[in-house]
Amino acid sequence: KKNNYIWDLNNAISDTIVVFPQTFEILTLCDTAYKLTHGNFDAGIGNFIEILGFEKENPNLPDKKAIENTIKKVGWKNVVLQEENILIKPKLVKLSFNALLPGFAADAAAKILENFGISEYLINAGGEIYGSGREWTVGIQHPRKKNELMGTLLIENMGVATSGDYERYFKKDGKRYSHIIDPLTGYPIDRCEAVTIIAPTAVMADYLSTGVFVAGPKKGMEIIENLPNVEGVIVDTMGVIHESSGFKKYFRR
């Protein structure tokens, strides 16, 4: 969609762009996410999203040549952030904040509620959740059984987010292709069916669920275990469930 702030950002004539403070905050979160997930979360994949067609509701599998032509125009590695509020980005690189904006919105809503003296609340921003003030029950959708839960989580002052291949996907030759993209190849990733993360903030849970999904069960669990106050569950492509060391503290079947 044209004529909006993100479109302007991605189509700026200059490589050096002065952005709004809140935008710089989001860009900084993208940088943190990139580093914490060892590059598996990458906000610089806008061009891959474009050729896959999910944003236009017309997803398809691009041919090898299209990927090769696009791969030179992607990657957070090409982005530099400079204080105050300066983004340096090659003109051809397009950014996408889709994989952390719902979590960011949930945290922003939480701050507004707290400013009004409301301390007990549950926020759901497109499936990314933050609960405060008491123990809240949050369900985890089963990735292959519609309308069935894997179990529930009991959370307090924590964020929860799930990334899965079951909400937005298309099938070709009997194979399922999700909307979650491998930033190294440009193709939909197929290492997991679902990842649920519990973290101190909704935005952290949001970007980690994507990064861990891309990383896969082994490397993804290493990411989770290396972060304080973060727990998670990974369902791999065989349906095997992998839980982090402290996940059972929150989980109920």
Side-chain angles (χ1 to χ4, degrees):
K1 295 180 180 180
K2 296 184 178 181
N3 303 318
N4 61 76
Y5 184 63
I6 300 301
W7 189 91
D8 292 342
L9 193 70
N10 277 330
N11 293 276
I13 295 171
S14 173
D15 289 355
T16 302
I17 310 163
V18 179
V19 300
F20 292 128
Q22 191 176 56
T23 306
F24 195 78
E25 182 183 355
I26 293 168
L27 289 164
T28 303
L29 285 166
C30 290
D31 191 60
T32 299
Y34 180 79
K35 292 170 181 173
L36 287 182
T37 63
H38 312 298
N40 287 290
F41 178 99
D42 193 321
I45 60 169
N47 287 301
F48 280 153
I49 294 172
E50 179 77 17
I51 63 171
L52 277 164
F54 274 101
E55 296 301 305
K56 298 177 180 177
E57 303 301 328
N58 184 31
N60 63 86
L61 203 61
D63 59 36
K64 187 178 178 182
K65 187 174 181 181
I67 291 289
E68 288 174 350
N69 289 337
T70 306
I71 207 161
K72 297 171 283 190
K73 301 181 289 185
V74 301
W76 189 258
K77 63 183 182 293
N78 299 301
V79 173
V80 177
L81 303 180
Q82 289 184 350
E83 303 283 359
E84 291 279 335
N85 304 332
I86 294 173
L87 164 67
I88 301 174
K89 175 185 73 67
K91 286 179 280 188
L92 291 176
V93 174
K94 303 288 190 271
L95 305 180
S96 172
F97 303 139
N98 292 0
L100 57 65
L101 268 184
F104 182 85
D107 290 336
K111 290 174 187 174
I112 292 169
L113 293 177
E114 295 284 352
N115 287 340
F116 277 94
I118 300 168
S119 59
E120 188 175 312
Y121 54 83
L122 182 74
I123 298 168
N124 183 341
E128 276 51 67
I129 289 168
Y130 188 84
S132 176
R134 67 174 175 86
E135 206 167 55
W136 293 93
T137 302
V138 178
I140 304 177
Q141 170 67 44
H142 194 291
R144 291 294 180 268
K145 297 178 182 178
K146 195 173 182 180
N147 301 322
E148 187 172 319
L149 299 179
M150 283 175 51
T152 58
L153 299 173
L154 296 180
I155 61 159
E156 184 174 356
N157 304 325
M158 299 289 280
V160 177
T162 296
S163 290
D165 68 356
Y166 51 87
E167 291 284 355
R168 299 181 68 193
Y169 66 92
F170 66 95
K171 285 188 174 181
K172 184 175 181 179
D173 300 327
K175 183 176 172 61
R176 181 191 297 251
Y177 293 94
S178 81
H179 71 291
I180 302 174
I181 300 168
D182 184 342
L184 293 179
T185 68
Y187 288 101
I189 198 75
D190 64 350
R191 296 188 181 118
C192 303
E193 291 180 358
V195 172
T196 295
I197 298 291
I198 306 165
T201 63
V203 71
M204 187 178 193
D206 199 0
Y207 67 64
L208 284 177
S209 69
T210 300
V212 168
F213 191 101
V214 173
K218 185 176 185 299
K219 292 182 179 178
M221 194 55 71
E222 288 173 2
I223 291 170
I224 295 170
E225 296 288 12
N226 284 328
L227 293 171
N229 304 314
V230 172
E231 301 296 342
V233 59
I234 301 170
V235 183
D236 68 22
T237 53
M238 301 300 291
V240 178
I241 297 172
H242 308 259
E243 297 179 1
S244 65
S245 55
F247 185 74
K248 281 184 170 61
K249 179 173 66 173
Y250 302 95
F251 188 59
R252 305 290 184 272
R253 292 193 185 278

